[in-house]
């Protein structure tokens, strides 16, 4: 949480020095308030992974434990597009505050869960709340800022969520070792209640004035079910297998439903998703790059954490602290990414960030030893990748929505977040699939009491190299596709 506020404070200080009258003070208060909620939602995407073993020891559940993470990711990704449209139609403030309350209620249920199945259901409640508040939060922030400040505001908003996801293992490891796994969820409640209390007074209601006062529920059902099944098939491929009929069936059925969703959006007068957004090259570029970045990001994080704990023998809390310099570097750089994007262009800034991420991942892969050498062989590469994350994750969010009209903010944000959640599921599945033989050998050696230093880790290195290449592909895609829109193109997209 302190990282989130630090990002906003750094940027706000820079603005205050340029604007002594403090005319943007209210706008930055809105940004800070909404970013707290976004930080918590993103944090809970990754924070529970480190607690899997501890939760299993207390609640049991066996294979059901994987759903503590998967159910949240699936429900969050599936609900985003519908939630964005609901915010447009019924009001962004109303959706945001309702989402925060649902997220808080879900967190409480998670904290008191008596069994694993109950925890999985509670995680779905959490995810629905997070999906409601996320697109509404950006739609509340951007109208408060003048056009020339919006790229920076979006960069801060996007960095807050991305850095929270990166901090999840660090914060989670420390909390699990000191206060127990239930503290991961109870942590959210005081922040969410304060957010609702202040938000009632601080936030201004706004909605799409051109939206029909109804939602096309057939589109909502098709879109929700389609995305949910695709993410389900991808995320469970590690357990079911890529060629298993359950995996293939879920992905194919999800793809068919997504096609039906697109056809419905083309024919209805009040679609959940305005397909004209895809006429804009900056929207297409941001979503393609977003999928690729999310694939590399989750894969790198999973492999780094596994190496620290399984190969170097770090505890959960120790590995969390060891990864902290990466998110810290990202938090330092992120507030300035919006200014760089305005000055040099979104595609160039994201390409530099992607190159730094690729360099850090390739460098770590080439030099990391089997025995711990943190200061010389791990920390420098984490600092480089942290700077890359700070440049990239901020620019992705701003490039997806910075040029949209206010009525398109919630929908554009929901679209970008949906693509990135699909990328996260795909990246985790691919990295674990490639590294699986080495992971299995290491786990077998550990259980047998053998020295894991003698175990071949070739597949892990292959997965690292794959993620480095994915980062570079994200940067190249942005350079090739991204174009800043003209007014005529924006008018055509709205038509």
């Amino acid at each position: 949480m302190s990282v989130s506020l630090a990002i906003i404070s750094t940027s706000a200080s820079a603005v205050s020095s340029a604007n002594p009258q403090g005319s943007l003070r209210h706008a930055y208060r809105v940004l800070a308030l909404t970013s707290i909620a976004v930080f918590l939602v993103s944090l809970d995407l990754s924070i529970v992974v480190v607690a899997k073993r501890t939760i299993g020891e207390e609640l049991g559940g066996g294979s059901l434990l994987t759903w503590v993470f998967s159910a949240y990711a699936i429900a969050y990704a599936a609900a985003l597009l519908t939630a964005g449209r609901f915010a447009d139609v019924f009001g962004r403030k109303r959706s945001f505050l309702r989402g925060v309350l649902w997220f808080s209620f879900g967190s409480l249920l998670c904290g008191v869960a008596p069994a694993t199945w109950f925890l999985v259901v509670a995680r779905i409640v959490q995810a629905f709340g997070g999906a409601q508040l996320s697109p509404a939060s950006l739609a509340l922030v951007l109208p408060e800022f003048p056009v020339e400040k919006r790229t920076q505001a979006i960069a801060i908003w996007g960095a807050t969520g991305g850095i929270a996801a990166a901090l999840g293992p660090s914060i989670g490891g420390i909390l699990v070792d000191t206060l127990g796994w239930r503290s991961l969820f109870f942590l959210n409640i005081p922040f969410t209640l304060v957010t609702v209390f202040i938000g009632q007074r601080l936030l201004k209601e706004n909605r799409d004035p051109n939206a029909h006062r109804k939602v096309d529920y057939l589109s909502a059902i098709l879109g929700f079910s389609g995305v949910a099944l695709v993410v389900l098939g991808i995320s469970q491929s590690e357990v079911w297998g890529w060629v298993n009929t359950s995996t293939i069936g879920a992905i194919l059925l999800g793809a068919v439903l997504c096609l039906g969703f697109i056809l419905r959006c083309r024919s209805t007068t009040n679609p959940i998703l305005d397909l004209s957004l895809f006429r804009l090259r900056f929207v297409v570029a941001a979503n393609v790059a977003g999928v690729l970045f999310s694939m590399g990001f989750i894969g790198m994080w999973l492999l780094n954490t596994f190496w620290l704990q399984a190969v170097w023998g770090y505890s959960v809390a120790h590995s969390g602290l060891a990864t902290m310099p990466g998110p810290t570097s990202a938090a330092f750089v992120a507030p300035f990414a919006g200014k760089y994007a305005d000055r040099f262009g979104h595609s160039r800034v994201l390409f530099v960030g992607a190159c730094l991420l690729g360099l850090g991942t390739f460098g770590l892969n080439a030099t990391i030893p089997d025995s711990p050498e943190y200061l010389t062989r791990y920390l420098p590469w984490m600092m480089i990748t942290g700077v890359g994350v700070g440049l990239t994750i901020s620019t992705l969010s701003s490039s997806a929505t910075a040029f949209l009209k206010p009525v398109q903010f919630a929908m554009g944000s929901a679209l970008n977040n949906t693509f990135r959640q699909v990328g996260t599921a795909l990246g985790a599945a691919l990295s674990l699939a490639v590294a699986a033989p080495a992971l299995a050998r290491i786990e077998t050696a550990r259980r047998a009491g053998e020295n894991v230093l003698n175990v071949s880790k070739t597949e892990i290195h292959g997965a690292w190299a794959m993620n480095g290449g994915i980062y570079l592909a994200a940067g190249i895609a942005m350079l090739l596709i991204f174009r800043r829109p003209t007014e005529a193109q924006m008018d055509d997209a709205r038509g």
Side-chain angles (χ1 to χ4, degrees):
M1 184 62 59
S2 60
V3 174
S4 171
L5 296 177
I7 295 172
I8 298 166
S9 298
T10 302
S11 188
S13 298
V15 170
S16 296
S17 63
N19 184 8
Q21 302 302 318
S23 61
L24 292 177
R25 188 174 301 167
H26 181 268
Y28 274 97
R29 286 174 178 169
V30 173
L31 176 58
L33 183 71
T34 56
S35 293
I36 289 172
V38 171
F39 185 92
L40 294 173
V41 171
S42 298
L43 189 71
D44 273 44
L45 279 168
S46 61
I47 198 171
V48 299
V49 175
V50 297
K52 181 178 178 181
R53 182 177 300 175
T54 307
I55 293 172
E57 290 172 354
E58 181 176 336
L59 301 182
S63 60
L64 190 61
L65 279 172
T66 61
W67 289 96
V68 174
F69 176 82
S70 298
Y72 185 96
I74 293 167
Y76 181 67
L80 278 166
L81 285 175
T82 303
R85 190 56 180 165
F86 269 76
D88 287 337
V89 173
F90 298 113
R92 282 74 179 256
K93 176 180 177 179
R94 180 181 177 182
S95 292
F96 176 78
L97 295 179
R98 181 181 292 173
V100 174
L101 286 173
W102 269 107
F103 183 79
S104 183
F105 179 60
S107 298
L108 176 62
L109 293 179
C110 289
V112 300
T116 303
W117 70 264
F118 189 99
L119 180 58
V120 171
V121 174
R123 289 281 284 168
I124 294 174
V125 175
Q126 258 195 321
F128 284 155
Q132 281 190 70
L133 72 89
S134 293
S137 65
L138 187 61
L140 286 168
V141 167
L142 294 186
E144 301 286 347
F145 286 85
V147 174
E148 66 273 13
K149 296 292 183 183
R150 282 180 184 166
T151 295
Q152 186 178 5
I154 302 169
I156 296 169
W157 180 89
T160 299
I163 293 169
L167 279 171
S170 303
I171 296 175
I174 295 169
L175 287 175
V176 169
D177 277 4
T178 56
L179 300 176
W181 67 266
R182 294 181 188 272
S183 66
L184 304 179
F185 305 107
F186 289 137
L187 170 74
N188 297 327
I189 297 173
F191 291 106
T192 52
L193 294 181
V194 169
T195 298
V196 172
F197 178 77
I198 297 176
Q200 288 280 10
R201 295 157 177 78
L202 181 68
L203 301 176
K204 301 173 185 176
E205 184 60 278
N206 68 76
R207 55 175 56 87
D208 181 354
N210 299 316
H212 295 272
R213 294 291 293 166
K214 62 180 181 179
V215 173
D216 182 47
Y217 289 100
L218 178 56
S219 296
I221 293 170
L222 289 171
F224 179 90
S225 303
V227 174
L229 284 169
V230 170
V231 177
L232 169 66
I234 294 171
S235 62
Q236 289 301 112
S237 62
E238 179 196 0
V239 178
W240 296 341
W242 278 104
V243 296
N244 184 275
T245 54
S246 296
T247 302
I248 297 172
I251 294 174
L252 287 179
L253 179 57
V256 170
L257 291 173
C258 285
L259 177 60
F261 169 75
I262 293 171
L263 294 175
R264 177 66 181 179
C265 287
R266 290 182 62 183
S267 61
T268 187
T269 56
N270 55 325
I272 293 291
L273 175 62
D274 182 1
L275 298 178
S276 68
L277 289 175
F278 291 103
R279 300 176 195 167
L280 302 169
R281 292 187 62 169
F282 73 90
V283 171
V284 176
N287 286 303
V288 170
V291 169
L292 293 170
F293 168 81
S294 298
M295 288 173 61
F297 182 71
I298 189 67
M300 178 191 71
W301 164 68
L302 285 172
L303 295 171
N304 288 6
T305 302
F306 184 87
W307 192 279
L308 290 174
Q309 294 181 11
V311 180
W312 282 9
Y314 283 12
S315 67
V316 173
H318 191 184
S319 65
L321 290 172
T323 59
M324 190 72 78
T328 302
S329 300
F332 179 78
V333 172
F336 307 102
K339 293 181 179 179
Y340 300 151
D342 278 336
R343 183 175 180 181
F344 302 109
H346 289 79
S347 59
R348 292 187 180 94
V349 173
L350 193 141
F351 180 73
V352 171
C355 287
L356 289 173
L357 283 165
L359 173 63
T361 305
F362 285 131
L364 180 70
N365 184 40
T367 63
I368 193 167
D370 287 355
S371 301
E373 294 183 36
Y374 177 77
L375 290 177
T376 57
R377 300 292 187 90
Y378 191 85
L379 180 60
W381 300 118
M382 281 300 94
M383 300 291 285
I384 292 172
T385 55
V387 173
V389 169
L391 291 174
T392 305
I393 207 159
S394 303
T395 310
L396 274 174
S397 296
S398 62
S399 64
T401 53
F403 308 114
L404 296 178
K405 299 300 180 182
V407 297
Q408 299 170 311
F409 288 155
M411 187 178 293
S413 172
L415 178 64
N416 188 244
N417 274 330
T418 300
F419 271 92
R420 285 163 65 171
Q421 290 307 311
V422 172
T424 296
L426 185 56
L430 283 177
S431 289
L432 292 174
V434 173
L439 302 182
R441 288 194 296 268
I442 291 172
E443 187 62 27
T444 300
R446 286 171 60 84
R447 289 178 179 175
E450 299 173 359
N451 191 342
V452 299
L453 302 183
N454 300 323
V455 176
S456 171
K457 306 171 186 68
T458 302
E459 294 88 353
I460 297 178
H461 288 288
W464 257 323
M466 177 187 70
N467 290 321
I470 289 173
Y471 280 137
L472 294 180
I476 293 170
M478 194 70 173
L479 278 180
L480 293 177
I481 303 172
F482 185 90
R483 295 293 184 275
R484 185 169 183 147
T486 63
E487 282 298 322
Q489 289 171 330
M490 292 303 299
D491 291 338
D492 179 59
R494 291 196 301 275

